[in-house]
Amino acid sequence: MTTVRRAVLTLPAAPLGPDNPLPALRAPAGAGAHAVDARTLAELPRDMARGIGRAPLRSLLPAPVRDGYGRERTPADLDAIVVENDRLRVTVLPGLGGRVHSLHHKPTGRELLYRNPVLQPAAFALNGAWFSGGIEWNIGATGHTALSCSPLHAATVRAPDGGPMLRLWEWERLRDLPFQVDLWLPEGSDFLYVGVRVRNPHERTVPAYWWSNTAVPEERRILAPADAAWHHGHERGLDRLPVPVAEDGTDRSYPLNGAHAADYFYDLPEGQRRWIAALDADGHGLVQTSTDALRGRKLFLWGTGRGGRRWQEWLTRPGTPGYAEVQAGLARTQLEHLELAGGAEFSWLEAYGPLAADPAAALGDDWAAARADVEAKLAAALPRAAVDAAYTVWRESAADAGPETVLAAGSGWGALEVLRGGHALPGTPFPESTLGPDQGPWRELLRTGVLPPPAKGAGPGAPLVAVPWRDMLETAPADPSTEYHLGIAQWHAGDRAQAVRSWERGLHRAEARWPLLYCLAVADQEDGHPRRAAERFAEAFADHADHDGGELVAAALGREATAALLATGRPGPARELWARLPDEVRGRGAFRFLEARLLLAEGRRDEARAVFDEGFEVADLSEGAEILGEVWAEITDEPLPDAYEFRTRPN
């Protein structure tokens, strides 16, 4: 009999810490890594090129950057939900994006996923904090979702067979879309069923993105029903290559055969059943399959280079085996976005379970025979028709069913949008009881037409940028707080000149000027005025120190201002600003690295080298970051120590 119950998972964990208090006006930090050059775009199939060019994120608004975590881990109790039958035990973390932490096959005692033994946030999500392992649900835009480390709503619902089902749901803010993920185990099933629905409650068409991302031990063979794959590395290209064997004879189906981090998007033929498998040396492992709407399949590998191995170590604890990722998405590649029409939805069914293939065939040199063996074993374990039928029954009888027992609460943003738009969303209620302090000022704007100013000494509050909210801000009384939020909404819409005018209007009457000065500094930086940007960053830091003195904002502004001053060749003002930072802030890894850059700019090369020799860790280092190596090369010609080697591109 299937059960759904609350549980507690204890792991060594680095606390997430507070969100960055500054508005996320810039594009995601890793956006360049997912870019494709113009020459490549011109050579791609037309629909793929359109999808790649469709509505890239200009900023992370309205989501906050999540960079408050560190690297110190202590045992922590995490809320978990366990879905279990006599065959499988599924452990889900509703407070961390609904991540499936473990998929344990009870008859064989096998863990089917890569299960990270620690919780270590790192800057891989679109907005920062993310962690490796398990199965994650990525919605929004190219990359790991902004909800990677955020709570989702969770409740039990009746499954299609009448047993209990776990529903996860939330309102994704980057694309302004509600979604749900339903997980259930039919009685006696070796497969976890996952029904997913993304709805567009608006009248306008919205760019849509989804990839289900599964971490598996990297000592596996990855099989998918394709003879070619689109390869994306860090050269801004997208090349169609044969699989599994490369021109140099390397078998790409083994992640440890790759030298550098890379994505392989399998080119599945039309009409082909959608699946991907990760098998060990005995032919055992995980298989994922779905209805045809989930078109894409992908392998991501870190590679065997120094940078890839360092990232593997960085994301867990030393001595832990590495992982690769097998993924499934709505488009052929992760670089594409689809169009979701107003009032429409995307929905599909996925299934995850064990597979036991013939190792002589599945691991042999004959790729066609290997694929055929896996597909035959999958057909015997879970026929394609059974998946299609399960989807139909779920969509017709269970997807709209109301939650029964609430197990966890997400954010109040969905409740605010339902309150504003009157959206009817059967199956995924967003009750007013979930509204919290962040939504309070916006609820007041909706009710009265006036956005209340923040309390004295408080920050400006969380922004909203959708067109209806921008329209309300334009007609609200124009005090400095309203001008600040109006400018942010205008910036998000691409009207940067008008955003600057709004911020400048607010600046004249603002008592605390730092939020507006920060926005104007980013605008200067983005528009190619680095010296003026640096001056405004420094002015924002000084204004905050004079008015508030809170450490969180001081650290965020100080980091921006010091880096901007150094970038424009002004180590003197940078040193003066540095001296005003609290001692605790200057001791953090990111600021130790900033100090090394400052010392180098002052000509104190030996002292900059000493900072590296003493050791530091920049907790929010971005994927593929090369800045550590660049600064090291200015200090010395010696090889970069392994501790600072995070470069994943070929030399």
Side-chain angles (χ1 to χ4, degrees):
M1 181 177 178
T2 299
T3 60
V4 177
R5 57 182 170 85
R6 289 189 179 95
V8 174
L9 177 68
T10 302
L11 290 177
L16 286 171
D19 292 343
N20 192 304
L22 308 177
L25 301 175
R26 301 184 182 95
H34 301 295
V36 176
D37 60 58
R39 176 195 61 81
T40 300
L41 276 177
E43 297 173 354
L44 293 176
R46 187 172 299 177
D47 62 332
M48 184 181 289
R50 280 198 304 267
I52 292 172
R54 181 172 290 125
L57 292 178
R58 290 188 290 255
S59 76
L60 284 170
L61 295 168
V65 172
R66 311 202 70 182
D67 59 1
Y69 51 86
R71 299 279 304 163
E72 185 175 341
R73 298 188 289 266
T74 56
D77 292 337
L78 307 176
D79 290 334
I81 300 172
V82 175
V83 184
E84 187 170 11
N85 66 3
D86 61 337
R87 311 291 293 176
L88 287 173
R89 181 168 60 250
V90 186
T91 304
V92 181
L93 304 178
L96 294 165
R99 183 76 59 96
V100 176
H101 173 73
S102 170
L103 186 60
H104 177 79
H105 188 234
K106 294 159 76 172
T108 61
R110 294 177 182 271
E111 173 59 50
L112 301 181
L113 310 176
Y114 167 78
R115 185 174 57 189
N116 198 333
V118 305
L119 175 61
Q120 177 55 62
F124 281 63
L126 288 165
N127 64 335
W130 172 88
F131 62 102
S132 65
I135 307 172
E136 58 182 294
W137 318 111
N138 291 305
I139 181 174
T142 301
H144 297 283
T145 177
L147 294 166
S148 290
C149 290
S150 296
L152 304 189
H153 299 281
T156 57
V157 184
R158 286 296 103 190
D161 62 1
M165 176 169 73
L166 172 62
R167 173 161 300 158
L168 306 167
W169 74 99
E170 199 25 298
W171 196 284
E172 201 285 317
R173 301 180 69 206
L174 294 181
R175 299 304 193 184
D176 211 17
L177 298 175
F179 70 96
Q180 72 188 75
V181 180
D182 289 354
L183 303 97
W184 76 100
L185 294 170
E187 188 172 350
S189 174
D190 279 310
F191 283 82
L192 169 67
Y193 284 13
V194 182
V196 183
R197 176 165 61 170
V198 180
R199 286 187 276 198
N200 179 6
H202 312 294
E203 295 181 357
R204 67 185 188 280
T205 297
V206 176
Y209 172 94
W210 184 282
W211 282 78
S212 300
N213 180 356
T214 304
V216 295
E218 64 181 348
E219 294 182 348
R220 296 289 186 269
R221 188 182 204 190
I222 311 303
L223 298 102
D227 293 313
W230 296 93
H231 168 256
H232 183 260
H234 289 274
E235 298 83 19
R236 298 171 67 91
L238 193 62
D239 304 306
R240 192 174 185 273
L241 304 176
V243 292
V245 180
E247 292 180 358
D248 62 1
T250 301
D251 189 337
R252 296 191 181 100
S253 64
Y254 292 91
L256 286 173
N257 284 348
H260 304 287
D263 300 322
Y264 292 97
F265 301 101
Y266 295 103
D267 195 1
L268 275 60
E270 289 296 330
Q272 169 65 52
R273 184 178 185 181
R274 316 307 198 197
W275 60 266
I276 190 167
L279 305 180
D280 64 18
D282 296 325
H284 292 272
L286 171 81
V287 66
Q288 187 271 0
T289 188
S290 72
T291 49
D292 289 353
L294 205 62
R295 177 181 186 181
R297 292 298 185 275
K298 171 193 166 183
L299 162 65
F300 166 77
L301 56 92
W302 276 113
T304 56
R306 283 208 308 157
R309 304 329 295 171
R310 181 65 176 122
W311 277 117
Q312 292 269 30
E313 181 184 70
W314 183 257
L315 295 170
T316 182
R317 64 187 179 198
T320 301
Y323 74 94
E325 294 171 356
V326 293
Q327 305 187 23
L330 285 173
R332 277 174 294 187
T333 74
Q334 241 170 9
L335 312 181
E336 301 167 74
H337 297 78
L338 304 183
E339 289 186 331
L340 181 55
E345 68 173 51
F346 287 133
S347 60
W348 62 91
L349 184 81
E350 305 180 44
Y352 297 80
L355 189 86
D358 176 3
L363 307 180
D365 293 335
D366 187 333
W367 181 244
R371 286 171 38 192
D373 182 73
V374 172
E375 191 146 357
K377 298 298 192 300
L378 173 60
L382 185 64
R384 184 178 188 177
V387 175
D388 292 340
Y391 164 74
T392 299
V393 175
W394 165 76
R395 183 61 192 86
E396 293 178 353
S397 68
D400 287 347
E404 296 180 354
T405 302
V406 174
L407 300 174
S411 77
W413 295 113
L416 186 67
E417 291 303 327
V418 169
L419 192 64
R420 181 201 58 77
H423 305 300
L425 299 168
T428 55
F430 294 95
E432 288 190 46
S433 60
T434 60
L435 292 169
D438 284 344
Q439 293 82 43
W442 298 101
R443 187 181 189 182
E444 191 68 13
L445 174 64
L446 183 62
R447 190 178 68 84
T448 66
V450 178
L451 184 70
K456 187 174 179 63
L464 281 175
V465 296
V467 172
W469 296 107
R470 188 174 78 236
D471 291 344
M472 283 184 265
L473 289 168
E474 287 176 345
T475 58
D479 61 20
S481 175
T482 302
E483 294 285 17
Y484 164 83
H485 283 286
L486 175 58
I488 288 176
Q490 292 164 333
W491 180 269
H492 174 266
D495 192 350
R496 295 190 169 188
Q498 189 58 54
V500 168
R501 284 193 286 271
S502 295
W503 292 327
E504 288 176 339
R505 283 196 306 268
L507 193 62
H508 294 308
R509 293 181 290 132
E511 180 179 347
R513 304 170 75 238
W514 66 263
L516 294 150
L517 285 167
Y518 171 77
C519 292
L520 289 168
V522 173
D524 283 334
Q525 203 171 53
E526 295 288 299
D527 290 341
H529 304 294
R531 288 189 66 86
R532 191 167 68 199
E535 291 165 1
R536 278 178 160 160
F537 281 131
E539 189 180 354
F541 177 84
D543 180 78
H544 175 264
D546 292 342
H547 281 88
D548 303 291
E551 189 174 285
L552 183 61
V553 176
L557 287 174
R559 190 176 180 183
E560 292 264 14
T562 304
L565 289 166
L566 289 177
T568 54
R570 285 181 281 182
R575 173 62 68 182
E576 293 174 9
L577 192 149
W578 176 264
R580 298 185 67 180
L581 286 168
D583 291 343
E584 191 280 329
V585 170
R586 286 184 294 182
R588 299 174 191 168
F591 288 85
R592 292 285 289 147
F593 176 54
L594 198 54
E595 182 181 17
R597 295 174 59 192
L598 178 56
L599 290 165
L600 188 60
E602 293 170 331
R604 300 155 67 182
R605 191 179 305 270
D606 291 343
E607 292 173 77
R609 168 65 184 265
V611 174
F612 275 83
D613 290 343
E614 291 167 11
F616 60 84
E617 291 184 321
V618 181
D620 63 336
L621 202 65
S622 297
E623 181 180 0
E626 301 185 350
I627 184 65
L628 297 181
E630 292 167 358
V631 172
W632 176 262
E634 293 184 52
I635 295 173
T636 177
D637 292 332
E638 296 176 23
L640 182 66
D642 286 346
Y644 304 116
E645 179 59 277
F646 293 92
R647 297 170 295 187
T648 55
R649 292 193 302 171
N651 292 335

mmCIF file of all heavy atoms in Angstrom, residues 85-110:
data_model
loop_
_atom_site.group_PDB
_atom_site.id
_atom_site.type_symbol
_atom_site.label_atom_id
_atom_site.label_comp_id
_atom_site.label_asym_id
_atom_site.label_seq_id
_atom_site.Cartn_x
_atom_site.Cartn_y
_atom_site.Cartn_z
ATOM 1 N N ASN A 85 6.019 2.724 -1.509
ATOM 2 C CA ASN A 85 5.224 1.507 -1.639
ATOM 3 C C ASN A 85 6.139 0.326 -1.319
ATOM 4 O O ASN A 85 7.223 0.515 -0.749
ATOM 5 C CB ASN A 85 4.559 1.402 -3.018
ATOM 6 C CG ASN A 85 5.566 1.226 -4.150
ATOM 7 O OD1 ASN A 85 6.775 1.132 -3.926
ATOM 8 N ND2 ASN A 85 5.073 1.176 -5.378
ATOM 9 N N ASP A 86 5.737 -0.876 -1.676
ATOM 10 C CA ASP A 86 6.561 -2.027 -1.311
ATOM 11 C C ASP A 86 7.787 -2.171 -2.200
ATOM 12 O O ASP A 86 8.643 -3.030 -1.944
ATOM 13 C CB ASP A 86 5.734 -3.314 -1.350
ATOM 14 C CG ASP A 86 5.176 -3.602 -2.738
ATOM 15 O OD1 ASP A 86 5.045 -2.646 -3.536
ATOM 16 O OD2 ASP A 86 4.864 -4.775 -3.022
ATOM 17 N N ARG A 87 7.922 -1.317 -3.219
ATOM 18 C CA ARG A 87 9.033 -1.426 -4.166
ATOM 19 C C ARG A 87 10.004 -0.242 -4.098
ATOM 20 O O ARG A 87 11.205 -0.415 -4.258
ATOM 21 C CB ARG A 87 8.486 -1.528 -5.597
ATOM 22 C CG ARG A 87 7.389 -2.553 -5.801
ATOM 23 C CD ARG A 87 7.893 -3.962 -5.676
ATOM 24 N NE ARG A 87 8.812 -4.320 -6.746
ATOM 25 C CZ ARG A 87 9.449 -5.492 -6.817
ATOM 26 N NH1 ARG A 87 9.264 -6.397 -5.857
ATOM 27 N NH2 ARG A 87 10.268 -5.751 -7.805
ATOM 28 N N LEU A 88 9.471 0.951 -3.897
ATOM 29 C CA LEU A 88 10.287 2.167 -3.952
ATOM 30 C C LEU A 88 10.059 3.026 -2.718
ATOM 31 O O LEU A 88 8.951 3.059 -2.169
ATOM 32 C CB LEU A 88 9.951 3.005 -5.192
ATOM 33 C CG LEU A 88 10.421 2.512 -6.557
ATOM 34 C CD1 LEU A 88 9.823 3.402 -7.651
ATOM 35 C CD2 LEU A 88 11.942 2.509 -6.667
ATOM 36 N N ARG A 89 11.110 3.741 -2.319
ATOM 37 C CA ARG A 89 10.992 4.768 -1.292
ATOM 38 C C ARG A 89 11.582 6.065 -1.868
ATOM 39 O O ARG A 89 12.756 6.106 -2.224
ATOM 40 C CB ARG A 89 11.709 4.369 -0.011
ATOM 41 C CG ARG A 89 11.573 5.409 1.096
ATOM 42 C CD ARG A 89 12.024 4.885 2.451
ATOM 43 N NE ARG A 89 13.423 4.477 2.440
ATOM 44 C CZ ARG A 89 13.842 3.212 2.525
ATOM 45 N NH1 ARG A 89 12.952 2.222 2.609
ATOM 46 N NH2 ARG A 89 15.127 2.924 2.512
ATOM 47 N N VAL A 90 10.737 7.086 -1.958
ATOM 48 C CA VAL A 90 11.099 8.353 -2.595
ATOM 49 C C VAL A 90 11.137 9.435 -1.520
ATOM 50 O O VAL A 90 10.141 9.651 -0.823
ATOM 51 C CB VAL A 90 10.065 8.737 -3.679
ATOM 52 C CG1 VAL A 90 10.528 9.974 -4.438
ATOM 53 C CG2 VAL A 90 9.822 7.570 -4.629
ATOM 54 N N THR A 91 12.273 10.114 -1.383
ATOM 55 C CA THR A 91 12.424 11.168 -0.385
ATOM 56 C C THR A 91 12.484 12.511 -1.090
ATOM 57 O O THR A 91 13.346 12.730 -1.951
ATOM 58 C CB THR A 91 13.700 10.958 0.450
ATOM 59 O OG1 THR A 91 13.675 9.658 1.037
ATOM 60 C CG2 THR A 91 13.807 12.011 1.541
ATOM 61 N N VAL A 92 11.563 13.411 -0.726
ATOM 62 C CA VAL A 92 11.394 14.709 -1.385
ATOM 63 C C VAL A 92 11.650 15.813 -0.370
ATOM 64 O O VAL A 92 11.250 15.709 0.793
ATOM 65 C CB VAL A 92 9.969 14.834 -1.969
ATOM 66 C CG1 VAL A 92 9.781 16.175 -2.680
ATOM 67 C CG2 VAL A 92 9.673 13.677 -2.926
ATOM 68 N N LEU A 93 12.288 16.897 -0.822
ATOM 69 C CA LEU A 93 12.591 18.045 0.034
ATOM 70 C C LEU A 93 11.734 19.229 -0.408
ATOM 71 O O LEU A 93 12.127 19.997 -1.290
ATOM 72 C CB LEU A 93 14.078 18.391 -0.055
ATOM 73 C CG LEU A 93 15.046 17.251 0.287
ATOM 74 C CD1 LEU A 93 16.490 17.707 0.110
ATOM 75 C CD2 LEU A 93 14.803 16.731 1.694
ATOM 76 N N PRO A 94 10.554 19.424 0.187
ATOM 77 C CA PRO A 94 9.657 20.490 -0.285
ATOM 78 C C PRO A 94 10.206 21.883 -0.044
ATOM 79 O O PRO A 94 9.857 22.811 -0.775
ATOM 80 C CB PRO A 94 8.378 20.243 0.537
ATOM 81 C CG PRO A 94 8.853 19.559 1.779
ATOM 82 C CD PRO A 94 9.993 18.686 1.337
ATOM 83 N N GLY A 95 11.062 22.050 0.954
ATOM 84 C CA GLY A 95 11.623 23.365 1.231
ATOM 85 C C GLY A 95 12.780 23.737 0.351
ATOM 86 O O GLY A 95 13.283 24.870 0.424
ATOM 87 N N LEU A 96 13.215 22.822 -0.515
ATOM 88 C CA LEU A 96 14.361 23.057 -1.394
ATOM 89 C C LEU A 96 13.971 22.724 -2.833
ATOM 90 O O LEU A 96 14.517 21.837 -3.472
ATOM 91 C CB LEU A 96 15.556 22.211 -0.939
ATOM 92 C CG LEU A 96 16.127 22.614 0.431
ATOM 93 C CD1 LEU A 96 17.041 21.539 0.976
ATOM 94 C CD2 LEU A 96 16.865 23.951 0.331
ATOM 95 N N GLY A 97 12.975 23.453 -3.328
ATOM 96 C CA GLY A 97 12.560 23.310 -4.715
ATOM 97 C C GLY A 97 11.840 22.020 -5.039
ATOM 98 O O GLY A 97 11.665 21.682 -6.212
ATOM 99 N N GLY A 98 11.418 21.249 -4.009
ATOM 100 C CA GLY A 98 10.773 19.968 -4.279
ATOM 101 C C GLY A 98 11.735 18.912 -4.780
ATOM 102 O O GLY A 98 11.321 17.928 -5.415
ATOM 103 N N ARG A 99 13.023 19.076 -4.487
ATOM 104 C CA ARG A 99 14.045 18.141 -4.968
ATOM 105 C C ARG A 99 13.758 16.718 -4.472
ATOM 106 O O ARG A 99 13.473 16.506 -3.293
ATOM 107 C CB ARG A 99 15.422 18.591 -4.461
ATOM 108 C CG ARG A 99 16.619 17.760 -4.937
ATOM 109 C CD ARG A 99 16.976 18.072 -6.374
ATOM 110 N NE ARG A 99 17.309 19.476 -6.532
ATOM 111 C CZ ARG A 99 18.550 19.979 -6.518
ATOM 112 N NH1 ARG A 99 19.579 19.169 -6.327
ATOM 113 N NH2 ARG A 99 18.757 21.266 -6.713
ATOM 114 N N VAL A 100 13.848 15.746 -5.388
ATOM 115 C CA VAL A 100 13.817 14.341 -4.990
ATOM 116 C C VAL A 100 15.232 13.986 -4.561
ATOM 117 O O VAL A 100 16.145 13.884 -5.399
ATOM 118 C CB VAL A 100 13.340 13.433 -6.137
ATOM 119 C CG1 VAL A 100 13.424 11.964 -5.717
ATOM 120 C CG2 VAL A 100 11.916 13.779 -6.538
ATOM 121 N N HIS A 101 15.441 13.825 -3.276
ATOM 122 C CA HIS A 101 16.779 13.574 -2.749
ATOM 123 C C HIS A 101 17.213 12.131 -2.970
ATOM 124 O O HIS A 101 18.398 11.858 -3.207
ATOM 125 C CB HIS A 101 16.792 13.900 -1.249
ATOM 126 C CG HIS A 101 18.065 13.526 -0.556
ATOM 127 N ND1 HIS A 101 19.234 14.234 -0.720
ATOM 128 C CD2 HIS A 101 18.363 12.508 0.309
ATOM 129 C CE1 HIS A 101 20.190 13.680 0.005
ATOM 130 N NE2 HIS A 101 19.684 12.636 0.636
ATOM 131 N N SER A 102 16.261 11.211 -2.896
ATOM 132 C CA SER A 102 16.614 9.795 -2.984
ATOM 133 C C SER A 102 15.496 9.023 -3.668
ATOM 134 O O SER A 102 14.309 9.306 -3.472
ATOM 135 C CB SER A 102 16.850 9.230 -1.569
ATOM 136 O OG SER A 102 16.963 7.827 -1.585
ATOM 137 N N LEU A 103 15.897 8.039 -4.467
ATOM 138 C CA LEU A 103 14.968 7.096 -5.098
ATOM 139 C C LEU A 103 15.546 5.707 -4.840
ATOM 140 O O LEU A 103 16.441 5.242 -5.544
ATOM 141 C CB LEU A 103 14.850 7.389 -6.596
ATOM 142 C CG LEU A 103 13.810 6.602 -7.391
ATOM 143 C CD1 LEU A 103 12.415 6.827 -6.852
ATOM 144 C CD2 LEU A 103 13.867 7.004 -8.871
ATOM 145 N N HIS A 104 15.036 5.069 -3.791
ATOM 146 C CA HIS A 104 15.610 3.811 -3.303
ATOM 147 C C HIS A 104 14.746 2.635 -3.745
ATOM 148 O O HIS A 104 13.550 2.590 -3.462
ATOM 149 C CB HIS A 104 15.697 3.844 -1.772
ATOM 150 C CG HIS A 104 16.211 2.581 -1.163
ATOM 151 N ND1 HIS A 104 17.551 2.261 -1.139
ATOM 152 C CD2 HIS A 104 15.567 1.544 -0.550
ATOM 153 C CE1 HIS A 104 17.710 1.088 -0.541
ATOM 154 N NE2 HIS A 104 16.524 0.634 -0.175
ATOM 155 N N HIS A 105 15.379 1.686 -4.455
ATOM 156 C CA HIS A 105 14.679 0.488 -4.908
ATOM 157 C C HIS A 105 14.838 -0.596 -3.841
ATOM 158 O O HIS A 105 15.939 -1.129 -3.623
ATOM 159 C CB HIS A 105 15.242 0.016 -6.253
ATOM 160 C CG HIS A 105 14.459 -1.093 -6.859
ATOM 161 N ND1 HIS A 105 15.017 -2.293 -7.247
ATOM 162 C CD2 HIS A 105 13.119 -1.197 -7.136
ATOM 163 C CE1 HIS A 105 14.077 -3.080 -7.748
ATOM 164 N NE2 HIS A 105 12.928 -2.438 -7.694
ATOM 165 N N LYS A 106 13.755 -0.907 -3.162
ATOM 166 C CA LYS A 106 13.809 -1.752 -1.971
ATOM 167 C C LYS A 106 14.180 -3.221 -2.269
ATOM 168 O O LYS A 106 14.983 -3.813 -1.534
ATOM 169 C CB LYS A 106 12.486 -1.650 -1.219
ATOM 170 C CG LYS A 106 12.259 -0.249 -0.662
ATOM 171 C CD LYS A 106 10.807 0.062 -0.364
ATOM 172 C CE LYS A 106 10.335 -0.608 0.894
ATOM 173 N NZ LYS A 106 8.983 -0.132 1.267
ATOM 174 N N PRO A 107 13.650 -3.855 -3.329
ATOM 175 C CA PRO A 107 14.004 -5.266 -3.556
ATOM 176 C C PRO A 107 15.497 -5.496 -3.767
ATOM 177 O O PRO A 107 16.025 -6.539 -3.368
ATOM 178 C CB PRO A 107 13.199 -5.627 -4.811
ATOM 179 C CG PRO A 107 12.047 -4.689 -4.799
ATOM 180 C CD PRO A 107 12.589 -3.405 -4.247
ATOM 181 N N THR A 108 16.185 -4.552 -4.418
ATOM 182 C CA THR A 108 17.617 -4.729 -4.691
ATOM 183 C C THR A 108 18.504 -3.947 -3.732
ATOM 184 O O THR A 108 19.726 -4.141 -3.725
ATOM 185 C CB THR A 108 17.940 -4.273 -6.127
ATOM 186 O OG1 THR A 108 17.625 -2.876 -6.268
ATOM 187 C CG2 THR A 108 17.151 -5.081 -7.143
ATOM 188 N N GLY A 109 17.908 -3.037 -2.949
ATOM 189 C CA GLY A 109 18.707 -2.202 -2.058
ATOM 190 C C GLY A 109 19.502 -1.139 -2.781
ATOM 191 O O GLY A 109 20.427 -0.548 -2.196
ATOM 192 N N ARG A 110 19.179 -0.848 -4.033
ATOM 193 C CA ARG A 110 19.953 0.111 -4.825
ATOM 194 C C ARG A 110 19.393 1.524 -4.712
ATOM 195 O O ARG A 110 18.177 1.717 -4.772
ATOM 196 C CB ARG A 110 19.958 -0.297 -6.306
ATOM 197 C CG ARG A 110 20.693 -1.595 -6.604
ATOM 198 C CD ARG A 110 20.581 -1.942 -8.084
ATOM 199 N NE ARG A 110 21.233 -3.204 -8.404
ATOM 200 C CZ ARG A 110 22.508 -3.328 -8.753
ATOM 201 N NH1 ARG A 110 23.258 -2.239 -8.843
ATOM 202 N NH2 ARG A 110 23.024 -4.516 -9.022
#
